[in-house]
Amino acid sequence: MKLLITRPIAQPVLDQARARFDVTLGEAPLSEEEASSALTAYDAILPTLGDAFTAAAFDRAGTPRTRILGNFGVGYNHIDVAAAAAAGVVVTNTPDVLTDATADIGWTLILAAARRAGEGERLVRAGQWGGFGPQSLLGTHVTGKVLGVVGMGRIGQAVARRGHHGFGMDVIYFNRSEKDAGLPARQVDTLRDLMVQADFVVVTVPGGARTTKLIDADALAAMKPGGIFVNISRGEVVDEVALIDALERGAIAGAGLDVYEAEPHVPERLRALENCVLLPHLGSATVETRQAMGQMALDNIISFAEGRDPRQRVN
Ligand code: GLV
């Protein structure tokens, strides 16, 4: 069986894959054309973010040779799962194993934005720090404030747990259905309600057509002037220009972003802002988590190859 792994993954997982399959290892994200060719050339693919398995890629591939896309990552909005299903291609993902690491990055951003850590670090590195000052680089207190979670799935709940247990925060959330996160969290009726009430807004919804530009100029305008906005889901969920406008005007106090609309492009205007902490999509980037994700993606492919239904099937 020919398996394409589109990017280098943890060596132990790669070794297992090589022991079972005829593996080709890619280096860079697949364009739509490359994704389409891959669908005709391999029995199985282990793709990840940035690989363009669009409807057009499936269309161009006709009847694909590939039977399974064992995605590396919980988010799979780079794969058109309906087109995959129509072409008879099973798609799997890697939930759960990255929940804590991703929630931790959410908290890295909350704290860094609230306490102006990026700004402070730049100052020290530039040799421009003038010493301790009672009124210098004052940030926002986090403990006891209102945490607003947009999308109360696994990652949203893990962010909420940290806020409740670690920082004594009041947790509110906006989600289609009611969720029991095992802590006192209040569901609000509208996104606007959440934006108005929260001191810290953290976005953890899945990417995709239903959530594209969910956070628009109106939503951002509803935030408190001292509010801090954090996105650890997908860049497309936020109107990036509207966010930049709000940050430039000082309409909100700050932001922390791990994801961007057109990764790896990060707009110059965003990079110029002092009140925004910018990370390069590090949500799941720990050694342990990335190995577990690779293992889960490979295990799904192995199950499928052995005629069993893969556990993390999404279509
Ligand atoms: C990372 O963003 C993932 O979806 O796993």
Side-chain angles (χ1 to χ4, degrees):
M1 211 172 127
K2 279 177 63 112
L3 168 65
L4 171 65
I5 300 177
T6 66
R7 243 69 64 74
I9 55 170
Q11 195 61 44
V13 182
L14 195 53
D15 291 344
Q16 286 171 53
R18 284 191 165 130
R20 278 178 170 265
F21 304 111
D22 171 8
V23 172
T24 301
L25 186 58
E27 278 294 332
L30 300 180
S31 66
E32 193 171 88
E33 240 179 312
E34 290 164 340
S36 173
S37 311
L39 286 168
T40 63
Y42 297 93
D43 302 293
I45 302 174
L46 194 154
T48 193
L49 251 91
D51 295 328
F53 287 95
T54 59
F58 283 101
D59 218 40
R60 198 176 302 165
T63 306
R65 171 171 173 174
T66 301
R67 311 311 311 157
I68 179 166
L69 295 179
N71 186 55
F72 181 103
V74 68
Y76 47 86
N77 57 318
H78 53 287
I79 301 171
D80 190 313
V81 285
V89 179
V90 168
V91 180
T92 62
N93 71 340
T94 59
D96 301 316
V97 288
L98 47 62
T99 299
D100 285 325
T102 308
D104 290 349
I105 275 293
W107 271 94
T108 304
L109 287 169
I110 291 173
L111 291 168
R115 303 303 301 274
R116 301 172 61 179
E119 236 178 303
E121 224 238 358
R122 282 189 289 279
L123 198 72
V124 173
R125 285 184 186 277
Q128 285 171 0
W129 181 38
F132 176 88
Q135 285 300 101
S136 64
L137 273 176
L138 304 189
T140 304
H141 207 63
V142 175
T143 298
K145 295 278 177 70
V146 178
L147 173 66
V149 180
V150 181
M152 199 63 151
R154 288 171 286 244
I155 295 170
Q157 291 179 35
V159 169
R161 275 195 297 276
R162 285 156 173 73
H164 172 74
H165 295 295
F167 295 87
M169 297 177 94
D170 285 336
V171 178
I172 59 175
Y173 69 94
F174 175 64
N175 197 73
R176 275 180 302 172
S177 56
E178 199 177 334
K179 293 279 178 177
D180 179 9
L183 53 92
R186 182 166 55 83
Q187 185 179 19
V188 294
D189 291 336
T190 66
L191 176 62
R192 194 187 147 74
D193 288 343
L194 182 130
M195 301 305 274
V196 166
Q197 294 175 50
D199 297 301
F200 295 87
V201 173
V202 183
V203 180
T204 56
V205 288
R210 293 191 53 256
T211 56
T212 298
K213 297 239 191 323
L214 174 71
I215 308 294
D216 58 9
D218 286 346
L220 292 164
M223 279 183 75
K224 295 181 182 182
I228 287 181
F229 177 81
V230 169
N231 186 12
I232 55 171
S233 70
R234 285 290 182 268
E236 306 88 283
V237 174
V238 180
D239 183 333
E240 210 164 63
V241 172
L243 176 63
I244 294 169
D245 287 344
L247 288 165
E248 279 180 353
R249 285 198 318 272
I252 60 174
L257 304 176
D258 191 39
V259 290
Y260 307 88
E261 252 182 62
E263 294 178 15
H265 171 72
V266 178
E268 173 67 42
R269 280 175 69 200
L270 201 49
R271 286 186 282 130
L273 284 166
E274 281 292 358
N275 58 352
C276 191
V277 180
L278 306 171
L279 295 181
H281 205 140
L282 293 181
S284 60
T286 69
V287 172
E288 297 90 334
T289 299
R290 288 287 168 86
Q291 175 153 346
M293 289 165 72
Q295 190 67 57
M296 188 177 271
L298 181 64
D299 286 347
N300 279 320
I301 292 171
I302 292 172
S303 294
F304 183 81
E306 291 177 349
R308 287 175 281 122
D309 205 23
R311 288 184 60 195
Q312 285 79 27
R313 186 172 174 161
V314 297
N315 71 346

